Amino acid sequence: MKNILFIDRDGTIVREAKAPDYVLDTFEELEFYPEVFRYLGKIVRKLDYEIVMVTNQDGLGTKALPTETFWNIHNKIMKAFENEGIVFSKVFIDDSYPEDKKPTRKPGIAMVTEYIDNPNYDLKKSFMIGDRLTDIEFAKNLGSKGIFINNDEALGATEINSKREELDQTIALQTTSWKEIYQFLKKQSSI
């Protein structure tokens, strides 16, 4: 059975865009997360994880985030990772707003149903890496564990259905360092 790393995009592999909208919609805002290429590259080359991107992109295709703007930046991000030998097997993008309450929007897991009850994947040994509490609740809803890139404890707090204390049980690692993520996953691989 394969283990998966579900990985958020903004705030995780690229820096989170600034408030108030947290929307990465200009190349000037595009900044890769420190050491992500080095350590996600090591994870891909040395550890046995399939990597899958799962991201909420509020209002994709609307005036707030035009499709062309999004895809120009997103394709540049994906090409940069591909150039470093880091290829996501799948990319799932939800374009809804929190108030839409769609089951495809994290923390909902409807985007990734192909992995649920699939004998080819071991969700208990899989992780969601993200910078929002919605990413951690997504992990909980999948029966996986979460790696919380905690640069802002409150991100996603208004969108979760679980109590914060419940989510603490899902968090396997809390960090701001891709080096620590790699070291943690390397230890997990030897267990």
Coordinates of all heavy atoms in Angstrom, one line a residue, residues 78-165:
M78 N 4.2 25.1 -10.6 CA 4.3 23.7 -11.0 C 5.6 23.4 -11.8 O 6.3 22.4 -11.6 CB 3.1 23.2 -11.7 CG 1.8 23.3 -10.8 SD 1.9 22.6 -9.2 CE 1.7 20.9 -9.6
K79 N 5.9 24.3 -12.7 CA 7.1 24.1 -13.6 C 8.4 24.2 -12.7 O 9.3 23.4 -12.9 CB 7.1 25.1 -14.7 CG 8.2 24.9 -15.7 CD 8.0 23.6 -16.4 CE 9.1 23.4 -17.5 NZ 9.0 22.1 -18.1
A80 N 8.4 25.1 -11.8 CA 9.6 25.3 -10.9 C 9.8 24.0 -10.1 O 10.9 23.5 -10.0 CB 9.4 26.4 -9.9
F81 N 8.7 23.3 -9.6 CA 8.9 22.1 -8.9 C 9.3 20.9 -9.8 O 10.2 20.1 -9.5 CB 7.6 21.7 -8.1 CG 7.5 22.5 -6.8 CD1 6.8 23.7 -6.7 CD2 8.2 22.1 -5.7 CE1 6.8 24.4 -5.6 CE2 8.2 22.8 -4.5 CZ 7.5 24.0 -4.5
E82 N 8.7 20.9 -11.0 CA 9.0 19.9 -12.0 C 10.5 20.0 -12.4 O 11.1 18.9 -12.5 CB 8.1 20.1 -13.2 CG 8.3 19.0 -14.3 CD 7.4 19.3 -15.5 OE1 6.2 19.7 -15.3 OE2 7.9 19.2 -16.6
N83 N 11.0 21.2 -12.5 CA 12.4 21.4 -12.9 C 13.3 20.8 -11.8 O 14.5 20.5 -12.1 CB 12.7 22.9 -13.1 CG 12.1 23.4 -14.4 OD1 11.7 22.6 -15.3 ND2 12.0 24.7 -14.5
E84 N 12.8 20.7 -10.6 CA 13.6 20.1 -9.5 C 13.3 18.7 -9.3 O 13.7 18.1 -8.2 CB 13.4 20.9 -8.2 CG 13.8 22.4 -8.3 CD 15.3 22.5 -8.5 OE1 16.1 21.7 -7.9 OE2 15.8 23.4 -9.4
G85 N 12.6 18.0 -10.2 CA 12.3 16.6 -10.1 C 11.1 16.3 -9.1 O 10.9 15.2 -8.7
I86 N 10.4 17.3 -8.7 CA 9.2 17.2 -7.8 C 7.9 17.3 -8.6 O 7.6 18.4 -9.0 CB 9.3 18.3 -6.7 CG1 10.6 18.2 -6.0 CG2 8.1 18.2 -5.8 CD1 10.9 19.5 -5.1
V87 N 7.3 16.1 -8.8 CA 6.1 16.1 -9.6 C 4.9 15.5 -8.8 O 5.0 14.5 -8.2 CB 6.3 15.2 -10.8 CG1 5.1 15.1 -11.7 CG2 7.5 15.7 -11.7
F88 N 3.9 16.3 -8.7 CA 2.7 15.9 -8.0 C 1.9 14.9 -8.9 O 1.7 15.2 -10.1 CB 1.8 17.1 -7.7 CG 2.4 18.1 -6.7 CD1 3.4 19.0 -7.0 CD2 2.1 17.9 -5.3 CE1 3.9 19.9 -6.1 CE2 2.7 18.8 -4.4 CZ 3.6 19.7 -4.8
S89 N 1.5 13.8 -8.3 CA 0.8 12.8 -9.1 C -0.6 13.3 -9.5 O -1.1 13.0 -10.5 CB 0.7 11.5 -8.4 OG -0.1 11.6 -7.2
K90 N -1.2 14.1 -8.6 CA -2.5 14.7 -8.9 C -2.5 16.1 -8.2 O -1.9 16.4 -7.2 CB -3.6 13.9 -8.2 CG -3.8 12.5 -8.8 CD -5.0 12.5 -9.8 CE -5.1 11.1 -10.4 NZ -6.4 10.6 -10.3
V91 N -3.4 17.0 -8.8 CA -3.6 18.3 -8.2 C -5.1 18.5 -8.1 O -5.8 18.4 -9.1 CB -3.0 19.4 -9.1 CG1 -3.3 20.8 -8.6 CG2 -1.5 19.2 -9.2
F92 N -5.6 18.7 -6.9 CA -7.0 19.0 -6.7 C -7.2 20.4 -6.3 O -6.5 20.9 -5.3 CB -7.5 18.1 -5.6 CG -7.5 16.6 -6.0 CD1 -6.4 15.8 -5.6 CD2 -8.5 16.0 -6.7 CE1 -6.4 14.5 -5.9 CE2 -8.5 14.7 -7.1 CZ -7.4 13.9 -6.6
I93 N -8.1 21.2 -7.0 CA -8.3 22.6 -6.7 C -9.8 22.8 -6.5 O -10.6 22.5 -7.4 CB -7.8 23.5 -7.8 CG1 -6.3 23.2 -8.1 CG2 -8.1 24.9 -7.6 CD1 -5.7 23.9 -9.3
D94 N -10.1 23.3 -5.3 CA -11.5 23.7 -5.0 C -11.6 25.2 -5.2 O -10.8 26.0 -4.7 CB -11.9 23.3 -3.6 CG -13.4 23.8 -3.4 OD1 -14.3 23.1 -3.8 OD2 -13.6 24.9 -2.8
D95 N -12.6 25.7 -6.0 CA -12.7 27.1 -6.3 C -13.8 27.8 -5.5 O -14.1 29.0 -5.8 CB -13.0 27.3 -7.8 CG -14.3 26.6 -8.3 OD1 -15.0 26.1 -7.4 OD2 -14.5 26.6 -9.5
S96 N -14.4 27.2 -4.5 CA -15.5 27.8 -3.8 C -15.0 28.7 -2.7 O -13.8 28.7 -2.3 CB -16.4 26.6 -3.2 OG -15.7 25.9 -2.2
Y97 N -16.0 29.4 -2.1 CA -15.7 30.2 -0.9 C -16.2 29.4 0.3 O -17.0 28.5 0.3 CB -16.5 31.5 -1.0 CG -16.0 32.5 -2.0 CD1 -16.6 32.6 -3.2 CD2 -14.9 33.3 -1.7 CE1 -16.2 33.5 -4.2 CE2 -14.4 34.2 -2.7 CZ -15.1 34.3 -3.9 OH -14.6 35.2 -4.8
P98 N -15.6 29.8 1.5 CA -16.0 29.1 2.8 C -17.5 29.0 3.0 O -18.1 28.0 3.4 CB -15.3 29.9 3.9 CG -14.2 30.5 3.2 CD -14.6 30.8 1.8
E99 N -18.2 30.1 2.7 CA -19.7 30.2 2.9 C -20.5 29.3 2.0 O -21.6 29.0 2.3 CB -20.2 31.6 2.8 CG -19.9 32.4 1.6 CD -18.5 33.1 1.5 OE1 -17.6 32.8 2.3 OE2 -18.4 34.0 0.7
D100 N -19.8 28.8 0.9 CA -20.5 27.9 0.0 C -20.7 26.5 0.6 O -21.6 25.7 0.2 CB -19.8 27.7 -1.3 CG -19.7 29.0 -2.1 OD1 -20.6 29.9 -1.9 OD2 -18.7 29.2 -2.9
K101 N -19.8 26.2 1.6 CA -19.9 24.9 2.4 C -19.9 23.7 1.5 O -20.7 22.7 1.7 CB -21.1 24.9 3.3 CG -21.0 26.1 4.3 CD -21.7 25.8 5.6 CE -21.6 26.9 6.6 NZ -20.3 27.2 7.1
K102 N -19.1 23.7 0.4 CA -19.1 22.6 -0.5 C -18.3 21.4 0.1 O -17.3 21.7 0.8 CB -18.5 23.0 -1.8 CG -19.4 23.9 -2.7 CD -18.8 24.0 -4.1 CE -19.8 24.7 -4.9 NZ -19.3 24.8 -6.3
P103 N -18.7 20.2 -0.1 CA -17.9 19.1 0.4 C -16.5 18.9 -0.2 O -15.7 18.1 0.3 CB -18.8 17.9 0.2 CG -19.7 18.3 -1.0 CD -19.8 19.8 -0.9
T104 N -16.3 19.6 -1.3 CA -15.0 19.5 -2.0 C -14.0 20.4 -1.4 O -12.8 20.3 -1.6 CB -15.1 19.8 -3.5 OG1 -15.9 21.0 -3.6 CG2 -15.9 18.7 -4.2
R105 N -14.5 21.4 -0.6 CA -13.6 22.4 0.0 C -13.0 21.9 1.3 O -13.7 21.4 2.2 CB -14.4 23.7 0.2 CG -13.5 24.8 0.8 CD -14.3 26.1 1.1 NE -13.4 27.0 1.7 CZ -12.6 27.9 1.1 NH1 -12.5 27.8 -0.2 NH2 -11.8 28.7 1.7
K106 N -11.7 22.0 1.4 CA -11.1 21.5 2.7 C -11.7 22.4 3.8 O -11.8 23.6 3.7 CB -9.5 21.8 2.7 CG -8.8 20.8 1.8 CD -7.3 21.1 1.9 CE -7.0 22.5 1.4 NZ -5.6 22.8 1.4
P107 N -12.1 21.8 4.9 CA -11.7 20.4 5.4 C -12.5 19.3 4.9 O -12.3 18.1 5.2 CB -11.9 20.6 6.9 CG -13.1 21.5 7.1 CD -12.9 22.5 5.9
G108 N -13.5 19.5 3.9 CA -14.2 18.4 3.3 C -13.2 17.6 2.5 O -12.2 18.1 2.0
I109 N -13.6 16.3 2.3 CA -12.7 15.4 1.6 C -13.2 14.9 0.3 O -12.7 14.0 -0.3 CB -12.3 14.2 2.5 CG1 -13.5 13.5 3.0 CG2 -11.4 14.7 3.7 CD1 -13.3 12.2 3.8
A110 N -14.3 15.5 -0.2 CA -14.9 15.0 -1.4 C -14.1 15.1 -2.7 O -14.3 14.4 -3.6 CB -16.3 15.7 -1.7
M111 N -13.1 16.0 -2.7 CA -12.2 16.0 -3.8 C -11.3 14.8 -4.0 O -10.8 14.5 -5.1 CB -11.2 17.3 -3.7 CG -11.8 18.5 -4.2 SD -10.6 19.8 -4.6 CE -9.9 20.2 -3.0
V112 N -11.0 14.1 -2.9 CA -10.1 13.0 -2.9 C -10.7 11.7 -2.6 O -10.1 10.7 -2.1 CB -8.9 13.3 -1.9 CG1 -8.1 14.5 -2.3 CG2 -9.4 13.4 -0.5
T113 N -11.9 11.5 -3.0 CA -12.7 10.2 -2.8 C -12.0 9.0 -3.4 O -12.1 7.9 -2.9 CB -14.1 10.3 -3.3 OG1 -14.1 10.7 -4.7 CG2 -14.9 11.3 -2.5
E114 N -11.2 9.2 -4.5 CA -10.5 8.1 -5.1 C -9.5 7.4 -4.2 O -9.1 6.3 -4.4 CB -9.9 8.5 -6.4 CG -8.7 9.5 -6.2 CD -8.3 10.1 -7.5 OE1 -9.0 10.9 -8.1 OE2 -7.2 9.7 -8.1
Y115 N -9.1 8.1 -3.1 CA -8.1 7.5 -2.2 C -8.8 6.8 -1.0 O -8.2 6.1 -0.2 CB -7.2 8.6 -1.7 CG -6.4 9.2 -2.8 CD1 -6.7 10.5 -3.3 CD2 -5.3 8.6 -3.3 CE1 -6.0 11.1 -4.3 CE2 -4.6 9.2 -4.4 CZ -4.9 10.4 -4.9 OH -4.2 11.0 -5.9
I116 N -10.1 7.1 -0.8 CA -10.8 6.6 0.4 C -11.2 5.2 0.1 O -11.8 4.9 -0.9 CB -12.0 7.5 0.7 CG1 -11.5 8.9 1.0 CG2 -12.8 7.0 1.9 CD1 -12.6 10.0 1.1
D117 N -11.0 4.3 1.1 CA -11.4 2.9 0.9 C -10.7 2.3 -0.3 O -11.3 1.4 -0.9 CB -12.9 2.7 0.9 CG -13.6 3.1 2.2 OD1 -13.0 2.9 3.3 OD2 -14.7 3.6 2.1
N118 N -9.6 2.8 -0.7 CA -8.8 2.3 -1.8 C -7.7 1.4 -1.3 O -6.9 1.9 -0.5 CB -8.3 3.4 -2.6 CG -7.6 3.0 -3.9 OD1 -7.0 1.9 -4.0 ND2 -7.6 3.8 -4.9
P119 N -7.7 0.1 -1.6 CA -6.7 -0.8 -1.0 C -5.3 -0.5 -1.4 O -4.4 -1.1 -0.9 CB -7.2 -2.2 -1.5 CG -8.0 -1.9 -2.7 CD -8.7 -0.6 -2.5
N120 N -5.1 0.4 -2.4 CA -3.8 0.7 -2.9 C -3.1 1.8 -2.0 O -1.9 2.0 -2.1 CB -3.8 1.2 -4.3 CG -4.3 0.2 -5.3 OD1 -3.9 -1.0 -5.2 ND2 -5.1 0.5 -6.2
Y121 N -3.9 2.4 -1.1 CA -3.4 3.5 -0.3 C -3.6 3.2 1.2 O -4.6 2.7 1.6 CB -4.0 4.8 -0.7 CG -3.7 5.2 -2.1 CD1 -4.6 4.9 -3.1 CD2 -2.5 5.8 -2.4 CE1 -4.3 5.3 -4.4 CE2 -2.2 6.1 -3.7 CZ -3.1 5.9 -4.7 OH -2.7 6.2 -6.0
D122 N -2.6 3.7 2.0 CA -2.7 3.5 3.5 C -2.9 4.9 4.1 O -1.9 5.6 4.3 CB -1.4 2.9 4.0 CG -1.6 2.5 5.5 OD1 -2.5 3.0 6.2 OD2 -0.7 1.7 6.0
L123 N -4.1 5.3 4.2 CA -4.4 6.7 4.7 C -3.9 6.9 6.2 O -3.6 8.0 6.6 CB -5.8 7.1 4.6 CG -6.3 7.2 3.1 CD1 -7.8 7.5 3.1 CD2 -5.5 8.2 2.3
K124 N -3.9 5.8 7.0 CA -3.4 5.9 8.4 C -2.0 6.3 8.4 O -1.5 6.9 9.4 CB -3.7 4.6 9.1 CG -5.1 4.3 9.4 CD -5.3 3.1 10.2 CE -6.6 2.5 10.4 NZ -7.7 3.3 10.8
K125 N -1.2 5.9 7.4 CA 0.2 6.3 7.4 C 0.5 7.4 6.5 O 1.7 7.7 6.1 CB 1.1 5.1 7.0 CG 1.1 4.0 8.1 CD 2.0 2.8 7.7 CE 2.0 1.8 8.8 NZ 2.8 0.6 8.4
S126 N -0.5 8.1 6.1 CA -0.4 9.3 5.2 C -0.5 10.6 6.0 O -1.0 10.6 7.1 CB -1.5 9.2 4.1 OG -1.3 8.1 3.3
F127 N -0.1 11.7 5.4 CA -0.1 13.0 6.1 C -0.7 14.1 5.2 O -0.5 14.0 3.9 CB 1.3 13.4 6.5 CG 1.9 12.5 7.5 CD1 2.7 11.4 7.1 CD2 1.8 12.7 8.8 CE1 3.2 10.5 8.0 CE2 2.4 11.9 9.8 CZ 3.1 10.8 9.4
M128 N -1.3 15.1 5.8 CA -1.6 16.3 5.1 C -0.7 17.4 5.6 O -0.6 17.5 6.8 CB -3.1 16.7 5.4 CG -3.5 18.1 4.9 SD -3.6 18.1 3.1 CE -3.4 19.9 2.8
I129 N 0.0 18.0 4.7 CA 0.9 19.1 5.1 C 0.2 20.4 4.7 O 0.0 20.7 3.6 CB 2.3 19.0 4.4 CG1 2.9 17.6 4.7 CG2 3.2 20.1 4.9 CD1 4.2 17.4 3.9
G130 N 0.0 21.3 5.7 CA -0.7 22.6 5.4 C -0.5 23.6 6.5 O 0.0 23.3 7.6
D131 N -0.9 24.8 6.2 CA -0.6 25.9 7.1 C -1.9 26.4 7.8 O -1.9 27.4 8.5 CB 0.0 27.1 6.4 CG -0.9 27.8 5.4 OD1 -1.6 27.0 4.7 OD2 -0.9 29.0 5.3
R132 N -3.0 25.7 7.5 CA -4.3 26.2 8.1 C -4.9 25.0 8.9 O -4.7 23.9 8.6 CB -5.3 26.6 7.0 CG -4.9 27.8 6.2 CD -5.8 28.1 5.0 NE -5.4 29.3 4.4 CZ -6.0 30.5 4.6 NH1 -7.1 30.5 5.4 NH2 -5.6 31.6 4.1
L133 N -5.7 25.4 9.9 CA -6.4 24.4 10.7 C -7.4 23.6 9.8 O -7.7 22.4 10.1 CB -7.2 25.1 11.8 CG -6.3 25.7 12.9 CD1 -7.1 26.4 13.9 CD2 -5.4 24.6 13.5
T134 N -7.9 24.1 8.7 CA -8.7 23.4 7.8 C -7.9 22.2 7.1 O -8.4 21.1 6.9 CB -9.2 24.3 6.6 OG1 -8.2 25.1 6.1 CG2 -10.3 25.2 7.1
D135 N -6.6 22.4 7.0 CA -5.7 21.3 6.5 C -5.6 20.2 7.5 O -5.7 19.0 7.2 CB -4.3 21.8 6.1 CG -4.3 22.8 5.0 OD1 -5.0 22.6 4.0 OD2 -3.7 23.9 5.2
I136 N -5.6 20.6 8.8 CA -5.5 19.6 9.8 C -6.8 18.8 10.0 O -6.8 17.6 10.1 CB -5.0 20.2 11.2 CG1 -3.7 20.9 11.0 CG2 -5.0 19.2 12.3 CD1 -2.6 20.1 10.5
E137 N -7.9 19.6 9.9 CA -9.2 18.9 9.9 C -9.4 18.0 8.7 O -10.0 16.9 8.8 CB -10.3 19.9 10.1 CG -11.7 19.2 10.4 CD -12.7 20.2 10.7 OE1 -12.9 21.2 10.1 OE2 -13.5 19.9 11.7
F138 N -8.9 18.4 7.6 CA -8.9 17.5 6.4 C -8.2 16.2 6.7 O -8.7 15.1 6.4 CB -8.2 18.3 5.2 CG -8.0 17.5 4.0 CD1 -9.0 17.4 3.0 CD2 -6.9 16.8 3.7 CE1 -8.8 16.7 1.8 CE2 -6.7 16.1 2.6 CZ -7.7 16.0 1.6
A139 N -7.1 16.3 7.3 CA -6.3 15.1 7.7 C -7.2 14.2 8.6 O -7.3 13.0 8.5 CB -5.0 15.4 8.3
K140 N -7.8 14.9 9.6 CA -8.6 14.1 10.6 C -9.8 13.4 9.9 O -10.0 12.3 10.1 CB -9.1 15.1 11.6 CG -10.1 14.5 12.6 CD -10.6 15.6 13.6 CE -11.6 15.1 14.6 NZ -13.0 15.2 14.1
N141 N -10.4 14.2 8.9 CA -11.5 13.6 8.2 C -11.1 12.4 7.3 O -11.9 11.5 7.1 CB -12.2 14.7 7.4 CG -12.9 15.7 8.2 OD1 -13.2 15.5 9.4 ND2 -13.2 16.9 7.6
L142 N -9.9 12.4 6.9 CA -9.4 11.3 6.1 C -8.9 10.1 6.9 O -8.7 9.0 6.4 CB -8.2 11.8 5.2 CG -8.4 12.3 3.9 CD1 -7.1 12.7 3.2 CD2 -9.2 11.4 3.0
G143 N -8.7 10.3 8.2 CA -8.1 9.3 9.1 C -6.6 9.3 9.0 O -6.0 8.3 9.3
S144 N -6.1 10.4 8.5 CA -4.6 10.6 8.4 C -4.1 11.4 9.5 O -4.9 11.8 10.5 CB -4.3 11.2 7.1 OG -4.7 10.4 6.0
K145 N -2.9 11.8 9.5 CA -2.3 12.8 10.4 C -1.9 14.1 9.7 O -1.8 14.1 8.5 CB -1.0 12.2 11.1 CG -1.3 11.0 12.1 CD -2.0 11.6 13.3 CE -2.2 10.5 14.3 NZ -2.9 11.0 15.5
G146 N -1.7 15.1 10.5 CA -1.4 16.4 9.9 C -0.1 16.9 10.3 O 0.4 16.7 11.4
I147 N 0.6 17.6 9.4 CA 1.8 18.3 9.7 C 1.4 19.8 9.5 O 1.1 20.2 8.4 CB 2.9 17.9 8.7 CG1 3.3 16.4 9.0 CG2 4.2 18.8 8.9 CD1 4.3 15.9 8.0
F148 N 1.4 20.5 10.6 CA 0.9 21.9 10.7 C 2.1 22.8 10.5 O 2.9 23.0 11.4 CB 0.2 22.1 12.0 CG -0.5 23.4 12.1 CD1 -1.0 24.1 11.0 CD2 -0.7 23.9 13.4 CE1 -1.7 25.3 11.2 CE2 -1.4 25.1 13.6 CZ -1.9 25.8 12.5
I149 N 2.2 23.5 9.4 CA 3.1 24.6 9.2 C 2.5 25.8 9.9 O 1.7 26.5 9.3 CB 3.5 24.8 7.7 CG1 4.1 23.6 7.2 CG2 4.4 26.1 7.6 CD1 4.5 23.7 5.7
N150 N 2.9 26.1 11.1 CA 2.2 27.0 11.9 C 2.9 28.4 12.0 O 3.6 28.7 12.9 CB 2.1 26.5 13.4 CG 1.2 27.3 14.2 OD1 0.7 28.4 13.8 ND2 1.0 26.9 15.5
N151 N 2.6 29.2 10.9 CA 3.1 30.6 10.9 C 2.0 31.5 11.4 O 2.3 32.6 11.7 CB 3.5 31.0 9.4 CG 4.8 30.4 9.1 OD1 5.8 30.6 9.7 ND2 4.8 29.6 8.0
D152 N 0.8 31.0 11.5 CA -0.3 31.8 12.0 C -1.4 30.8 12.6 O -2.1 30.2 11.8 CB -0.9 32.7 10.9 CG -2.1 33.6 11.4 OD1 -2.6 33.4 12.5 OD2 -2.4 34.5 10.7
E153 N -1.4 30.7 13.9 CA -2.3 29.7 14.5 C -3.8 29.9 14.2 O -4.5 28.9 14.2 CB -2.1 29.9 16.1 CG -2.9 29.0 16.9 CD -2.1 27.7 17.3 OE1 -0.9 27.7 17.2 OE2 -2.8 26.8 17.8
A154 N -4.2 31.1 13.8 CA -5.6 31.4 13.5 C -6.1 31.1 12.1 O -7.3 31.1 11.9 CB -5.9 32.8 13.9
L155 N -5.1 30.9 11.2 CA -5.6 30.6 9.8 C -6.5 29.4 9.7 O -6.1 28.3 10.1 CB -4.4 30.5 8.9 CG -3.6 31.7 8.4 CD1 -2.5 31.3 7.5 CD2 -4.5 32.7 7.7
G156 N -7.7 29.7 9.1 CA -8.6 28.6 9.0 C -9.5 28.3 10.2 O -10.4 27.5 10.1
A157 N -9.3 29.0 11.3 CA -10.0 28.7 12.5 C -11.5 28.9 12.4 O -12.3 28.2 13.0 CB -9.4 29.5 13.7
T158 N -11.9 29.9 11.6 CA -13.3 30.1 11.4 C -14.0 29.1 10.5 O -15.2 29.1 10.4 CB -13.6 31.5 10.9 OG1 -13.0 31.7 9.6 CG2 -13.0 32.6 11.8
E159 N -13.3 28.3 9.8 CA -13.8 27.3 8.9 C -13.9 25.9 9.4 O -14.3 25.0 8.6 CB -13.0 27.4 7.6 CG -13.1 28.7 6.9 CD -12.2 28.7 5.6 OE1 -12.4 27.8 4.8 OE2 -11.4 29.6 5.5
I160 N -13.4 25.6 10.6 CA -13.3 24.2 11.0 C -14.6 23.9 11.8 O -15.3 24.7 12.3 CB -12.1 24.0 11.9 CG1 -12.0 24.9 13.1 CG2 -10.8 24.0 11.0 CD1 -10.9 24.6 14.1
N161 N -14.9 22.6 11.8 CA -16.0 22.0 12.5 C -15.6 21.4 13.8 O -16.5 21.2 14.7 CB -16.8 21.0 11.6 CG -17.2 21.7 10.3 OD1 -17.9 22.7 10.3 ND2 -16.9 21.1 9.2
S162 N -14.4 21.0 14.0 CA -13.9 20.4 15.2 C -13.4 21.4 16.1 O -13.1 22.5 15.8 CB -12.7 19.4 14.8 OG -13.1 18.5 13.9
K163 N -13.3 21.0 17.4 CA -12.7 21.9 18.4 C -11.2 21.8 18.2 O -10.7 20.8 17.8 CB -13.1 21.4 19.8 CG -14.5 21.6 20.1 CD -14.9 21.2 21.5 CE -16.3 21.5 21.8 NZ -16.9 20.8 22.8
R164 N -10.6 22.9 18.5 CA -9.1 23.0 18.4 C -8.4 21.8 19.1 O -7.4 21.3 18.6 CB -8.6 24.4 18.8 CG -7.1 24.6 18.8 CD -6.6 24.5 17.4 NE -5.2 25.0 17.3 CZ -4.1 24.2 17.3 NH1 -4.2 23.0 17.4 NH2 -2.9 24.8 17.2
E165 N -8.9 21.5 20.3 CA -8.3 20.5 21.1 C -8.3 19.1 20.4 O -7.4 18.3 20.5 CB -8.9 20.4 22.5 CG -8.9 21.6 23.3 CD -9.9 22.7 22.9 OE1 -11.1 22.3 22.6 OE2 -9.5 23.9 22.8

